[in-house]
Amino acid sequence: MIDGFLALYIFMLAAFTGKEVIARVPVILHTPLMSGSNFVHGIVLVGAMVALAHAESPLAIAIGFIGVVLGAGNAAGGYVVTERMLEMFKSSKDAKKD
Amino acid sequence: MDTQTLLVYLAKASYFLAAVLFILGIKRMSSPVTARKGIVQAGIGMVVATLATFAITGGHNLWLIVAGIAIGVVPTWLWGKKVAMTDMPQMVALFNGMGGGSAAAIGAGELLKFTQAGAAVPPLATLALAVIGALIGSISMTGSIIAWAKLDGRMDKRFTFAGQQFVNFAVFAAAVLVGAAIVFWKLDANLVVVFFLLALAFGVLMTLPIGGADMPVVISLYNALTGLAVAFEGYVMQIEALIIAGTVVGAAGTFLTQLMAKAMNRPISNVLFSNFGGGGGGEEIAGSQKPIEASDAASLLYLADKVIIVPGYGMAVAQAQHKIWELSQALIKAGKDVKFAIHPVAGRMPGHMNVLLAEAGVPYDLIADMEDINPEFKTCDVAIVIGANDVVNPAAKTDKSSPIYGMPILDVVDARQVIVIKRGKGTGFAGIENALFYQDNTRMLYADGKEAASRLIAELKAIDGGGH
């Protein structure tokens, strides 16, 4: 069980981590990075799966099902779009190799 | 240790691994050299976490879960594969909206469970975070859908009415009050329904008055909000991977939003609460725009040693990036120094131009950021501006009455010769005149970007052929 101050510490440390890991991002990667972080919060799928697994009433099952569909869409769409953008980032050296 | 305990341990260990992979993945995505590895790494984290979750769901509603994943994955995967590069910004908005919706759905399900007769009263922190996460997730969902509709050209760019800000504030305040009532007063199903309706409505209302020029900042903000919503619902569900990944994205997204807003010299509060792009303002400009033919423009390029190309949203609309790269290759082959200058907010999203140029095959080392390229305009023989307007407007530096005063710009004004490729005499997003177009050393090539580039390539060939 994650509770009280322990949760607060986790939030705080993760927030600093988030800011620090992208602190030196060049402008050319802003859009792919936004897209990539958009993919990462697709992890919400896992939460929706657990919610659906615990759902009993028809309404709860319907809500959980919607959550799973939307979460899966976030993850899958976010990955494809980011991967397509980053696929194109090549330096002149790479381009010659191909 | 029984099997179920073992499976839970396995799942928890997988979530830990996934959290590490996400953080490393995001870190790698912030450098061009490692970016491609970064997304693959984050992808592995996602697959590991999703598979591990089956270990703790214990087979309950198993086929519904599998069906839900299939319905979510297949169409978005196929759509994401085939959508044009120019449409990427709205796709990011749409997928972000889905994430927000998923977080809101988790919140709705949990709140519903709490309201049932005989349910245990949840701890205050759990209840409060379920409500806040649901509020943020709902706003992010409907807001992102409106942003998608606007960028996809399905909706009029801006929608305003008298007293709009008051109405918006009232709806937001009502959502917060009802949310507080659920947490502190009465866990009631009807209140929960009203709460969600208000939150969803506020997302729509908040985004309606925001113009296209500000959309990048708004999408980035909604991305950060979805991250936060995921983190809060993660606490409610007690799943560590959601808390870590959601908070990291929330913080990184907020920082990215600030970077973008700073590049536009527009505080985030201005983007959200003031109406931009009303036009007017600024000083009158003396003189006239001087047109040029493609053949003459080609001669200027033929004589130049150093050429800087400044692309803007017009290039994306005209789908001209491939032709522009072809033109650049012709110039490079003729021994000229060619570079691309990118304003941080050119296009609909920061980095939008880079993505388009990369798609056309332009190596990223030919592409320069604003700070790096600005001193070079002084030594540049010809600057070609294609479909960019406000980001090269010198009024941002000289005219205090201009709405864009103070925004950092590309110093195209310093180049010896400027060729502006533009479809007509209209103004940019901000709806203001551009003094650059009236300068003595500026020539206007009135044409669609793609067509202009083709004609320049043909004329260059003709000059080259005639010289030998």
Side-chain angles (χ1 to χ4, degrees):
Chain A
M1 184 77 185
I2 314 152
D3 214 355
F5 279 102
L6 180 59
L8 211 53
Y9 278 110
I10 294 178
F11 278 127
M12 185 267 288
L13 291 172
F16 277 111
T17 308
K19 184 175 181 291
E20 286 307 316
V21 288
I22 67 147
R24 301 182 51 78
V25 61
V27 176
I28 61 164
L29 282 173
H30 277 184
T31 295
L33 182 66
M34 190 204 292
S35 180
S37 57
N38 176 41
F39 161 69
V40 168
H41 65 53
I43 189 69
V44 69
L45 169 64
V46 165
M49 286 167 72
V50 174
L52 178 54
H54 292 158
E56 300 288 350
S57 71
L59 181 61
I61 289 177
I63 293 174
F65 187 73
I66 293 171
V68 170
V69 171
L70 291 178
N74 180 185
Y79 184 84
V80 172
V81 165
T82 311
E83 210 238 348
R84 275 186 64 195
M85 284 189 210
L86 289 174
E87 216 169 71
M88 300 175 310
F89 280 85
K90 292 178 177 170
S91 70
S92 333
K93 256 188 263 160
D94 291 346
K96 268 177 210 144
K97 260 189 278 171
D98 289 349
Chain B
M1 207 191 296
D2 63 63
T3 325
Q4 187 53 36
T5 321
L6 192 70
L7 284 175
V8 171
Y9 264 93
L10 184 72
K12 297 275 170 184
S14 309
Y15 291 158
F16 181 78
L17 179 66
V20 173
L21 286 171
F22 286 153
I23 293 172
L24 283 177
I26 292 181
K27 165 109 187 131
R28 295 223 156 113
M29 273 189 268
S30 57
S31 157
V33 186
T34 54
R36 282 192 285 173
K37 282 191 197 112
I39 182 65
V40 173
Q41 218 162 23
I44 294 170
M46 189 70 73
V47 172
V48 166
T50 308
L51 290 179
T53 305
F54 283 110
I56 53 171
T57 53
H60 196 64
N61 288 339
L62 177 67
W63 292 109
L64 271 177
I65 295 176
V66 173
I69 293 176
I71 293 173
V73 167
V74 175
T76 48
W77 186 276
L78 295 177
W79 195 8
K81 274 277 180 211
K82 72 172 212 286
V83 73
M85 274 296 151
T86 37
D87 294 341
M88 285 295 167
Q90 50 264 47
M91 295 313 281
V92 175
L94 192 63
F95 297 141
N96 178 55
M98 294 177 105
S102 185
I106 295 175
E110 292 302 300
L111 287 174
L112 192 78
K113 205 160 69 186
F114 298 152
T115 59
Q116 271 160 3
V121 178
L124 188 65
T126 305
L127 185 55
L129 286 179
V131 167
I132 298 171
L135 175 70
I136 300 174
S138 303
I139 293 172
S140 175
M141 173 168 80
T142 51
S144 296
I145 291 172
I146 299 294
W148 166 76
K150 285 189 174 210
L151 287 178
D152 214 40
R154 286 162 200 269
M155 189 183 262
D156 194 28
K157 294 282 177 249
R158 286 168 67 232
F159 178 83
T160 51
F161 57 85
Q164 191 166 25
Q165 286 187 14
F166 177 75
V167 172
N168 288 3
F169 177 76
V171 172
F172 180 68
V176 171
L177 279 177
V178 177
I182 294 170
V183 176
F184 296 109
W185 179 55
K186 199 173 165 204
L187 259 171
D188 177 79
N190 291 329
L191 277 182
V192 172
V193 172
V194 173
F195 167 71
F196 273 98
L197 290 178
L198 287 168
L200 293 169
F202 179 69
V204 174
L205 290 170
M206 177 177 158
T207 322
L208 279 177
I210 301 171
D214 286 332
M215 264 320 142
V217 182
V218 174
I219 296 174
S220 176
L221 182 70
Y222 285 145
N223 184 41
L225 286 181
T226 303
L228 275 184
V230 171
F232 291 163
E233 298 304 340
Y235 177 85
V236 176
M237 304 293 294
Q238 292 287 309
I239 302 174
E240 298 82 350
L242 264 70
I243 302 179
I244 305 284
T247 311
V248 167
V249 170
T254 308
F255 184 58
L256 201 56
T257 310
Q258 282 171 346
L259 287 179
M260 292 180 196
K262 204 173 134 205
M264 295 167 80
N265 198 38
R266 307 236 312 129
I268 294 166
S269 58
N270 271 18
V271 172
L272 297 178
F273 303 120
S274 80
N275 298 323
F276 186 53
E283 289 164 1
E284 288 290 313
I285 298 163
S288 61
Q289 299 189 4
K290 293 161 276 295
I292 189 171
E293 290 302 319
S295 53
D296 296 325
S299 316
L300 285 176
L301 289 174
Y302 187 74
L303 296 172
D305 288 323
K306 182 168 180 172
V307 178
I308 298 180
I309 300 172
V310 181
Y313 188 62
M315 182 185 81
V317 173
Q319 299 271 352
Q321 61 270 27
H322 296 277
K323 279 287 166 200
I324 289 290
W325 174 226
E326 216 178 291
L327 172 66
S328 315
Q329 281 173 306
L331 291 170
I332 292 169
K333 226 171 121 195
K336 298 168 195 328
D337 179 10
V338 179
K339 273 194 183 147
F340 289 85
I342 311 284
H343 189 276
V345 295
R348 290 288 165 92
M349 273 182 146
H352 192 188
M353 290 301 121
N354 306 82
V355 170
L356 292 182
L357 292 176
E359 185 205 12
V362 181
Y364 66 74
D365 37 11
L366 290 189
I367 302 174
D369 285 356
M370 182 173 66
E371 291 87 32
D372 299 329
I373 198 85
N374 261 347
E376 292 192 32
F377 279 107
K378 284 191 195 70
T379 59
C380 149
D381 300 300
V382 179
I384 304 175
V385 176
I386 168 155
N389 191 340
D390 298 329
V391 297
V392 296
N393 191 340
K397 279 191 168 168
T398 55
D399 178 5
K400 282 197 176 145
S401 66
S402 171
I404 59 166
Y405 182 74
M407 179 172 95
I409 55 159
L410 287 163
D411 294 326
V412 175
V413 150
D414 294 340
R416 291 190 194 120
Q417 249 322 320
V418 181
I419 298 171
V420 177
I421 298 173
K422 207 166 170 301
R423 270 209 296 211
K425 295 190 182 186
T427 52
F429 262 132
I432 43 181
E433 284 291 350
N434 192 336
L436 175 74
F437 301 166
Y438 294 85
Q439 274 201 143
D440 285 339
N441 60 347
T442 302
R443 293 292 178 273
M444 308 296 290
L445 180 53
Y446 294 116
D448 169 80
K450 204 164 164 180
E451 187 196 319
S454 310
R455 284 199 336 236
L456 285 174
I457 296 166
E459 294 290 350
L460 269 176
K461 268 196 195 130
I463 296 172
D464 217 19
H468 296 289

